[in-house]
Structures are given as C-alpha cells and as structure tokens.
C-alpha cells in the first residue's frame, strides 16, 4: 500500500519552492515563513504604510532573522505572495523609497469587479499601453491560455478597432 505524507510548501527567493515533510517543517520553527502564510506581512502593515526596511524589521520580530532577506531584498518572495492574495499594494512614496500598505486600508472605496469586468479592464489597459496587439500577444503578457485570451477578446470585439500591422490582424 501507499504511505500518505504531509508536506508544507515554503517559498524562497528566486522562485524556489521547497517541500518539507511536516515533521521537519515543525523543526524549522520561526526561521522560515511558510509560502502560504502572509499573516506576518499583513500584521506588520496594520498601523499603516511602511518602507521595505521598516516592514522587514517588523516581520523579523514576528518570525525570525532569516525572513529579513526575503522582505528587504526580494520582490519575488513573501511580498509578492501577499500582493497576489490581494492583501498588499504600493503605498505613498517617502522620498525616493516605496512603501507597502494594506489594500483594504489604502484603497478604501474601491469597487470590486466581477471576473468578466476585471478581464475586460485588464485587456483594455493592455491595449492602451501596448496596442495594437494580437490575442497571442495578450495571452503571453497576461500569462493566459490562448483560449482564455481569445474569449476575453471576443467580449471586447464590438468596442475595439481592428488594424493590420505588417500583414497581421491586431486589435486596438
């Protein structure tokens, strides 16, 4: 028979994933930030926007020194995960430094879009910045399957302009 094993996923700089058996993950203690756990970032930002080093100091106090490099020197680490979950956005600049803020406190009054509305808004923003473009261009930029990108393009078809660029049909 097969043996069931439980793992915890950790995310490290440079998009490296590490699967640790839960027995070993427990030994890691506060020295690792679980990939799925953005709570230390969210907790650190509860009092308002923070610069990267300020944020790192608070996260380190919560989870340990090894977290410092993931917050201070990486965009692909825990900060990226917190943004993907919709918790963290850029806050106001302080001099030439960026800050991070909680989305729910910094963007009060935001309108939540349906999936269809969000997809169309994304396509419109893409075409505004990069158009004219093909379905393939948009799919590659957005990380979508061609079929998904094509479906979004079809919903925009009545509001879009078609152009021919170097013999290729593109949308503007």
């Amino acid at each position: 028979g097969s043996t069931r094993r439980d793992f915890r996923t950790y995310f490290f700089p440079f998009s490296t994933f590490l699967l640790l058996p839960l027995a070993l993950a427990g030994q890691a203690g506060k020295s690792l930030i679980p990939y799925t756990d953005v709570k230390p970032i969210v907790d650190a930002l509860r009092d308002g926007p923070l610069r990267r080093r300020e944020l790192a100091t608070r996260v380190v106090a919560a989870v340990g020194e090894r977290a410092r490099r993931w917050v201070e020197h990486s965009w692909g680490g825990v900060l990226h995960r917190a943004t993907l979950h919709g918790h963290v956005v850029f806050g106001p600049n302080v001099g030439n430094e960026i800050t991070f803020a909680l989305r729910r406190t910094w963007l009060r009054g935001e309108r939540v879009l349906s999936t269809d509305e969000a997809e169309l808004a994304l396509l419109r923003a893409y075409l505004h910045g990069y158009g004219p473009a093909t379905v393939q261009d948009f799919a590659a930029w957005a990380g979508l399957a061609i079929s998904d990108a094509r479906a979004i393009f079809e919903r925009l078809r009545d509001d879009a302009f078609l152009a021919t660029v170097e013999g290729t049909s593109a949308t503007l």
Side-chain angles (χ1 to χ4, degrees):
S2 64
T3 302
R4 182 171 183 252
R5 292 193 174 215
D6 292 319
F7 292 89
R8 175 166 284 163
T9 306
Y10 289 90
F11 183 74
F12 292 90
F14 310 109
S15 300
T16 302
F17 289 91
L18 174 65
L19 290 175
L20 290 177
L22 281 180
L24 292 176
Q27 295 172 12
K30 294 178 104 180
S31 65
L32 298 173
I33 297 178
Y35 173 60
T36 57
D37 185 12
V38 296
K39 188 176 183 317
I41 299 286
V42 172
D43 289 347
L45 292 169
R46 286 198 197 286
D47 295 329
L50 295 172
R51 289 176 273 199
R52 185 182 293 271
R53 288 206 169 133
E54 295 166 335
L55 179 58
T57 297
R58 290 194 186 182
V59 171
V60 164
V63 300
E65 186 61 39
R66 288 191 59 193
R68 184 175 304 282
R69 66 182 173 174
W70 300 339
V71 179
E72 282 187 0
H73 306 294
S74 171
W75 177 242
V78 294
L79 283 171
H80 187 216
R81 186 67 177 175
T83 62
L84 289 175
H85 279 284
H87 297 296
V88 175
V89 296
F90 287 119
N93 287 351
V94 176
N96 64 352
E97 291 184 78
I98 60 170
T99 65
F100 300 93
L102 291 180
R103 178 193 49 81
R104 69 176 178 260
T105 57
W106 187 244
L107 300 177
R108 290 187 183 145
E110 67 182 309
R111 186 170 80 86
V112 177
L113 302 175
S114 70
T115 300
D116 285 349
E117 290 173 316
E119 289 171 344
L120 285 173
L122 181 65
L123 176 55
R124 283 187 178 107
Y126 173 76
L127 291 173
H128 179 77
Y130 299 103
T134 65
V135 169
Q136 292 79 5
D137 295 333
F138 175 62
W141 177 83
L144 296 172
I146 297 290
S147 59
D148 293 335
R150 185 173 292 118
I152 298 168
F153 261 76
E154 287 302 317
R155 292 198 315 269
L156 186 68
R157 192 59 69 199
D158 292 339
D159 295 332
F161 296 97
L162 295 178
T164 301
V165 179
E166 297 177 2
T168 300
S169 181
T171 302
L172 182 63

